[in-house]
Amino acid sequence: MYTVSDFVIDRMIEWDLHHFYGYPGDGIGGFDGALERAERDDKAFRYLRATHEEMVGLMACAHAKFTGEVGVGIVTSGPGAIHLMNGLYDAYGDNQPMVAIVGQQGRVSLGSESQQEINLERMYADVAEFVQTVTTPMHAQMVVDKAIRVAKAYRKPTVVIIPADVQNLKMEIPDRQHWVSRSGVGHPSQRLTPPEDELRRAAEVLNSGKKVAMLVGQGALGATDEVLAVAEKLGAGIITALLGKSVVPGNVPYHTQQLGLLGSKPSYDMMEECDTLLMIGSNHPYPEFLPKTGQARGVQIDLSPKHLSLRYPMEVNLWGDARTTLAALLPHLVQHEDRSWQQKIIEGMKTWDEITERQALAKAEDGINPRLVFHRLNERLPENAVVTADAGTTADWYGHHIKLGRHMMGNLSGRMASMLAAMPYAMAAKFAFPERPVICTIGDGAFQMLGMNGLITLKRHWREWSNPTFIVLILHNEDLSQVSWEMREAGDPRYDTSQKVETMNYASYAETLGFKGIRMESPEDVERVWDEAFAADRPVVIDALTDPNVPPLPAHITLDQAKSVMKALTKRDPAEADVIKDGARAVAAELFAKANHSFFGKK
């Protein structure tokens, strides 16, 4: 018998979806059975079972990020449906298309407080652009088609809920009758271009600018050539948002990398001094780092109209996708012959690169300087590498020290900044591109949270990959260090009871799973360990004993931040001495100089 579940699987394949991430359970049992039948029949899909439903959601979101396709997650009802939520919110916050197939108790039980029964439509209403329960076999076609189409068109997650009894019903193709929708397969084009008069207005603003700054986000992926052509025309500098880091190659001399807490000093200076701002495909969430109101004329390009003029009052808002809009805008732009603004940005970036290298080479007090680990990684990245970072201090070092080449990819949990996401992101990248080397950078807190479970999934599958290079870098500092620094910045001392991470030998754990485990115990080990990891014939876990007290401070340090940190240290922060020593050796020297003067009245 051809069931509703059989139909849903075939329909997703017809929509050109072939990677399904999931975790089984009785609430989705009929669908799991259909997956087994479909796999036995050699249908064109791959089902990858994670070790936890939260991993399912984050892997599906990451698949969408790395491939541009709709990510698919399949989980059971009740607790499984709840565990999926973080991945759905990650997709929602970072504007990624994702479809969740979720089990539910039988229709007759709904509202009866049956075991594991949850009002899933109500629960998912805040995160899903479309959520619908399949109530009859004829209903399934429309629900699945609409969920996939809406996810892609709106770049948001959608949810298809299939009650347990519906999963095994005989499929009925919708026919011509009252109340029955008959739907089809196919995505609308998203190559939207604003009208000519709006392009001319935007060009007038940009052509009149003498100090043009471009802020480029993930919405510009696929538009690298167009972004660079506009920058060359306008003599502009380019800043990339963290999620858009791979849009502009790291070797472009006027690309100043990121902005804000994880950003560079040239990016900060560019925003302080520009007279014109062009934002492309970015919903940068920190408006305090954008120009002062009235300082710069603004043009914004975005495929999501709700993001237009949201962070800065723009003069011209262009609703369209980055590539076609920039291509249509280029003929209207006048070549800027004066390159003094761009040259100043280039010189500022040269100085910043020298500073970040000095910071990386500085000796840490308690273990290896984590900046050095990332600095040496950056020197060794293969040309088609994929790098993922977690939401802790790895994101700081990723932002400061990793420069992605034109053929590289990099990503992390953006607006949600979810801990542990680096591991499922890396796994999704490897399953999507088994020929690429993948490097996951993660803190020991996030690795213990759930990341270490990901290695169990890798154990099952790594021999299938054409390229076995999958490296997990664990910053082993026995501290939730990002939160510790946030506490200090708020004026509170680091709190050992909440911040300490239990130590373990991560390299030995990797060895028990059949991987290569390497301890990185001193600065002298760093280059050798990276070389050994990239040469390995299997996945590698690097257990890097790094100093938790190297400060992940912003390139521009405010007086209030400085005063807060010194206030925390006067409350006897457990790591006070090492914080001061490490801070004095890095960019934090500015912070402590300011703090000593403001808090103690010293010069």
Side-chain angles (χ1 to χ4, degrees):
M1 182 176 70
Y2 188 69
T3 68
V4 169
S5 297
D6 295 320
F7 167 80
V8 173
I9 294 166
D10 287 344
R11 197 67 165 185
M12 290 196 294
I13 294 170
E14 191 177 352
W15 275 96
D16 205 22
L17 305 181
H18 306 283
H19 279 75
F20 307 158
Y21 298 97
Y23 200 91
D26 61 347
I28 195 71
F31 197 89
D32 292 335
L35 286 168
E36 189 276 332
R37 292 192 296 274
E39 187 175 292
R40 192 175 351 118
D41 291 342
D42 202 27
K43 292 186 176 179
F45 77 99
R46 180 78 186 279
Y47 176 76
L48 293 155
R49 199 214 73 204
T51 54
H52 192 283
E53 292 93 353
E54 184 168 0
M55 301 285 271
V56 169
L58 291 168
M59 290 172 81
C61 174
H63 181 86
K65 285 187 173 186
F66 285 121
T67 66
E69 301 169 357
V70 176
V72 178
I74 303 167
V75 300
T76 189
S77 58
I82 293 170
H83 289 156
L84 184 71
M85 288 287 279
N86 196 36
L88 288 170
Y89 271 109
D90 195 46
Y92 185 87
D94 288 354
N95 305 295
Q96 296 302 316
M98 175 180 166
V99 172
I101 308 295
V102 182
Q104 176 61 293
Q105 307 313 99
R107 290 169 296 174
V108 73
S109 72
L110 297 181
S112 70
E113 301 181 19
S114 179
Q115 186 181 29
Q116 295 190 333
E117 181 203 346
I118 294 172
N119 188 329
L120 295 178
E121 289 193 359
R122 182 185 298 167
M123 184 179 79
Y124 287 129
D126 184 57
V127 70
E129 190 69 29
F130 170 75
V131 54
Q132 184 61 56
T133 301
V134 177
T135 57
T136 70
M138 275 196 193
H139 195 208
Q141 184 189 86
M142 183 279 293
V143 174
V144 172
D145 287 349
K146 185 173 180 180
I148 296 171
R149 185 176 288 109
V150 166
K152 183 72 171 178
Y154 288 84
R155 295 176 297 152
K156 292 293 182 185
T158 59
V159 179
V160 175
I161 301 165
I162 312 180
D165 57 330
V166 175
Q167 294 167 29
N168 288 316
L169 291 178
K170 182 180 179 181
M171 182 57 191
E172 299 176 38
I173 301 302
D175 57 16
R176 185 184 178 190
Q177 59 178 277
H178 188 51
W179 288 330
V180 175
S181 291
R182 291 165 289 161
S183 55
V185 172
H187 293 293
S189 171
Q190 293 189 315
R191 294 195 296 271
L192 304 181
T193 308
E196 277 291 310
D197 62 319
E198 293 185 13
L199 292 170
R200 289 193 203 96
R201 285 203 303 125
E204 184 277 320
V205 172
L206 297 171
N207 288 332
S208 65
K210 292 181 169 51
K211 299 177 179 180
V212 181
M214 297 170 62
L215 177 55
V216 178
Q218 65 174 349
L221 286 167
T224 298
D225 291 339
E226 289 77 10
V227 167
L228 294 176
V230 169
E232 285 295 326
K233 265 281 183 79
L234 299 175
I238 302 176
I239 300 165
T240 49
L242 203 59
L243 294 180
K245 190 177 180 75
S246 59
V247 173
V248 181
N251 62 359
V252 172
Y254 48 83
H255 174 200
T256 61
Q257 298 293 316
Q258 282 67 72
L259 175 69
L261 299 174
L262 312 183
S264 71
K265 185 68 161 55
S267 294
Y268 176 85
D269 292 341
M270 202 192 309
M271 284 297 169
E272 289 295 296
E273 299 172 15
C274 69
D275 63 16
T276 309
L277 173 63
L278 173 58
M279 280 181 67
I280 307 168
S282 176
N283 186 28
H284 185 72
Y286 299 107
E288 66 269 31
F289 292 103
L290 298 179
K292 299 176 183 67
T293 301
Q295 169 194 322
R297 300 178 73 183
V299 174
Q300 186 172 358
I301 300 168
D302 209 290
L303 194 55
S304 292
K306 68 179 183 180
H307 292 158
L308 293 169
S309 213
L310 179 64
R311 308 297 185 190
Y312 186 82
M314 296 294 176
E315 191 169 334
V316 182
N317 295 287
L318 300 178
W319 181 12
D321 82 292
R323 187 175 184 181
T324 58
T325 301
L326 290 174
L329 181 63
L330 268 165
H332 299 286
L333 299 180
V334 175
Q335 181 67 53
H336 284 47
E337 301 299 338
D338 182 359
R339 313 307 270 192
S340 57
W341 165 249
Q342 196 178 71
Q343 190 58 42
K344 180 182 177 182
I345 291 166
I346 292 171
E347 294 304 318
M349 198 58 195
K350 287 180 182 176
T351 301
W352 178 252
D353 285 340
E354 292 170 0
I355 290 171
T356 55
E357 183 173 21
R358 286 201 302 271
Q359 291 171 352
L361 298 178
K363 184 180 184 299
E365 286 295 314
D366 183 18
I368 304 168
N369 183 345
R371 289 179 177 272
L372 177 65
V373 180
F374 279 74
H375 181 70
R376 296 305 186 203
L377 167 62
N378 187 65
E379 296 172 340
R380 288 162 169 76
L381 285 175
E383 66 173 10
N384 63 337
V386 182
V387 184
T388 67
D390 215 72
T393 53
T394 60
D396 295 271
W397 316 138
Y398 169 79
H400 284 174
H401 295 278
I402 298 298
K403 290 189 174 182
L404 299 172
R406 180 179 273 268
H407 303 296
M408 297 179 194
M409 294 181 179
N411 227 304
L412 73 171
S413 175
R415 209 176 95 188
M416 283 297 292
S418 180
M419 277 183 72
L420 76 83
M423 180 61 80
Y425 271 46
M427 290 192 295
K430 192 66 175 179
F431 285 127
F433 305 108
E435 75 285 359
R436 286 177 175 259
V438 173
I439 302 94
C440 167
T441 67
I442 191 168
D444 49 3
F447 188 73
Q448 288 188 17
M449 181 184 275
L450 200 58
M452 62 196 304
N453 291 9
L455 293 185
I456 300 171
T457 303
L458 297 185
K459 180 179 185 292
R460 182 176 184 178
H461 294 288
W462 75 267
R463 289 178 178 82
E464 305 163 3
W465 301 332
S466 56
N467 179 345
T469 302
F470 187 101
I471 302 171
V472 182
L473 167 69
I474 302 169
L475 299 189
H476 183 165
N477 57 27
E478 299 171 25
D479 182 39
L480 299 176
S481 51
Q482 185 80 358
V483 182
S484 293
W485 278 100
E486 290 166 347
M487 290 177 70
R488 290 173 182 132
E489 191 177 315
D492 295 314
R494 178 180 170 276
Y495 179 34
D496 247 1
T497 304
S498 74
Q499 298 308 108
K500 185 173 176 58
V501 174
E502 191 63 34
T503 191
M504 64 176 283
N505 190 317
Y506 300 103
S508 294
Y509 172 68
E511 295 280 351
T512 66
L513 296 172
F515 303 142
K516 187 176 185 65
I518 316 175
R519 297 268 283 185
M520 187 186 282
E521 299 178 306
S522 71
E524 292 72 33
D525 294 339
V526 176
E527 294 188 64
R528 173 187 61 79
V529 168
W530 276 123
D531 290 339
E532 193 175 337
F534 278 111
D537 64 353
R538 64 194 59 211
V540 175
V541 170
I542 297 176
D543 188 352
L545 277 60
T546 54
D547 188 342
N549 299 311
V550 174
L553 297 169
H556 176 77
I557 302 156
T558 68
L559 191 59
D560 285 343
Q561 289 170 324
K563 290 167 71 175
S564 293
V565 172
M566 290 307 295
K567 184 179 178 182
L569 297 181
T570 63
K571 295 178 180 178
R572 307 306 301 171
D573 187 299
E576 174 185 356
D578 289 339
V579 167
I580 293 174
K581 288 177 184 176
D582 285 331
R585 285 188 168 92
V587 71
E590 178 186 350
L591 182 149
F592 291 108
K594 284 184 178 181
N596 274 317
H597 178 71
S598 63
F599 198 77
F600 297 115
K602 296 177 183 178
K603 294 185 179 180

